Amino acid sequence: MPWLPSSRLRLISPLALLALVGLLALPVATSAAPPRTLTPAEPAAAGMSAARLQGIEDLLREAVRERRLPGAVVLVARQGKVVFWRAVGDRALIPERRPMNLTTIFDVASLTKVVVTAPLLLQLVEEGRVRQEDPLERHLPEFRGQAAGRASLRQLLVHTSGLPSGLPRGDTSEGLAAVLRAIRRERLLAPPGTRYLYSDLNYILLGALLERVTGRSLPALAHERIFARLGMRDSSFNPPEDWRDRIAPTQVMNGLVRHGIVHDPLAFRMGGAAGHAGLFSTAEDLGRFAQAILNGGGYGDGRILAPRTVAIMVSPLTLPKSGGRRTLGWDVDSPAAVRGIHASPGSFGHTGFTGTALWLDRATETVVVFLSNRIHPDGTADLAGLRGAVVSAAGRALLDGPDPEPGSATVAVQTGVEVLERLAWVPLVGRRVGLVTNQTGRDREGRRTADLLREGGVRLQALFNPEHGLAGTAEGPVPPATDAASGLPVHSLYGATLRPTPPMLRGLDLLLFDLQEVGTRFYTYITTLGYVLEVAAMEGLPVVVLDRPNPVTGHIVEGPVLDPDLTSFTAYHPLPIRHGMTVGELARLFNGERGTGAELTVIPVRGWRREQWFDDTGLPWVNPSPNIRSLTAATLYPAVGLLESANVSVGRGTELPFEVLGAPWINGEAVAAALTALDLPGVRFVPTQFTPRASVYKGEACQGVRILLTDRESFRAVRTGLEMAATLHRLYPGTFLVEKLQLLLGNRTAMEWLRRGDGRAAAAADGEALEAFLRVRERYLLY
């Protein structure tokens, strides 16, 4: 790995400078050891699991296969040890395909804000040349007498100046002077300090201030004061021509591929260098920078900030009228944050529009660098939560002890298909098999169950897909098709029929079922399972179910139980909303309790324990449907999905489906405040705004809340969902169509409590039915 030594630079005395700005009251972390530098190491040396880190590569390869991005480079380091550094996919698709590599240079977009602009400004604070409390007009006098001029530098850093997100669409200002004039014409959306509004204009102004105060250009300041000190040799604005072959191109615009030219339109019109965007860099260079921040401002012999200043820079600040938090530049848990579900309270990071992210966790001394050019070539690719999933995967890789040995529970969890393969497919030998499956039917190495069967000599005759089709990406009815890899017919069980028909089953001796479901009653894959069992019983066909873990554990069960006369395609059997069973256990329960009488065999999961979450299993995550894109979404699905039958958006058509909730008629701040006051366990609510690109309220601006998991063990999804519904009913009676919840709620007693605005009582409704279900459930559990 090409780790480059940093140059030796004379250090400014931090204590003398910080005395000027009154920071001496803060504690200083001191150590006789030099700051950590990045060195390659085995994961175990840093207390991380190699097996779990491999899950990051699995996520990236899946995203490339799904064409969500051309390629990516991810670097993970802990305690200065680089434990994961991978390049996946391609850096260019046109005019010719070129593979991604570890030293690819990326347009990092808004990472410019935290890598260049914020630290440079804090350097000037250390030197006494500016103060955080200074109004902008003190240093840019052309803003005197204007509302934006009264915003402090601190408010610009944390996006509470009140400025809009950018200049109006159609603005053609070119050059810094013209852009500053255009900003002066903008009206504030809120008085400074009263509201969080993420804005590129804040950092354009800070970049202009840096140049005005120092008399140096922003690229020169960045090179002299940051890149040279940290040995960031592949970081630059307007990169030189001889770097071109290493640069990942971005979007094709006006027939030309942007290659080494900044993608951000405003930064482009400002000459390629601005305080909000324009930086090009590599994973290694950003790793150096991130490690310097974790080190307290130093890397090797170089230093960019004093430890006290870094401590202030990364201390979380609560945002006004938001509930989210940011630091002086960094994001902590605002609605746009990519923090993983394992992130510590002291972690922070930032993202870039081109498909980049940087995340740092002080408590675990962990750095995650995510770089992609997801907008190449046509700007339509969607990361859809991938950055947060990668950060989560890095968090899961942290170990309390050594890496689990092969055979331990974490590594050795084997799905039903893997167990059956070890049995040499004996239950299927000599039989003509039809397989009910989709993209989740695969082993830990990503090999499809269909392909494993054919390679193992099984006489696979036909495939059957559930909702969303064989690839798991379709919305709406799915037509029959042919599997490109095998040439086999693919019969749709979510199209003209929801059940296998006799012509589909002609010539088959056995039906095999391999689907990953998500632990929620209204997820339709379990209805497809029930229908398959019914038809198989009538046709005299045996059914073999290849079991898989319940991703949200098998030990948490939440009601209310479905009223028996309210069954539908989203409510097959009287189950509680969160049933705590695997698909194999459900097959046994359906077959027994409904008197289906199919000849049923379940191939159990090996090594799984009921208390395990999916990320405890060591199995790679595969999106079970287009909008369940992470374990976080699956955990929130019983809560947020419950409201989908009403007139609200649950985030379909955004990057955070089932992690946000909103509508054009909702006031996000009011709803977040009301839900926060309930003090629900394991969850936080912050106001957010989004515009769905699909489904309910497509193309309409929505306000609402982002739902943030803080403790998934104490989180109770069904109660949370019902409290959200009750809150909307109380705040918007007559507008929020509460009656429509009955489609997925399926319980009249709970519905009556909802009408009264009591979500807690609705969640506890019909407790006798839940107790009865638990007694029945016990008879069918396998684990």
Side-chain angles (χ1 to χ4, degrees), residues 634-718:
T635 307
L636 293 172
Y637 180 67
V640 184
L642 180 61
L643 278 69
E644 187 167 19
S645 55
N647 55 330
V648 292
S649 169
V650 295
R652 292 183 186 268
T654 74
E655 287 198 5
L656 295 168
F658 301 112
E659 298 184 46
V660 295
L661 181 78
W665 42 268
I666 284 177
N667 180 311
E669 294 176 0
V671 173
L675 291 171
T676 298
L678 296 175
D679 196 25
L680 296 172
V683 66
R684 293 181 58 235
F685 302 90
V686 296
T688 191
Q689 300 179 29
F690 59 90
T691 302
R693 298 186 299 275
S695 194
V696 180
Y697 301 125
K698 177 182 178 181
E700 297 185 55
C702 296
Q703 284 195 46
V705 292
R706 181 174 178 184
I707 303 98
L708 300 172
L709 278 178
T710 57
D711 180 2
R712 62 188 183 183
E713 284 292 341
S714 64
F715 174 66
R716 290 298 175 262
V718 177

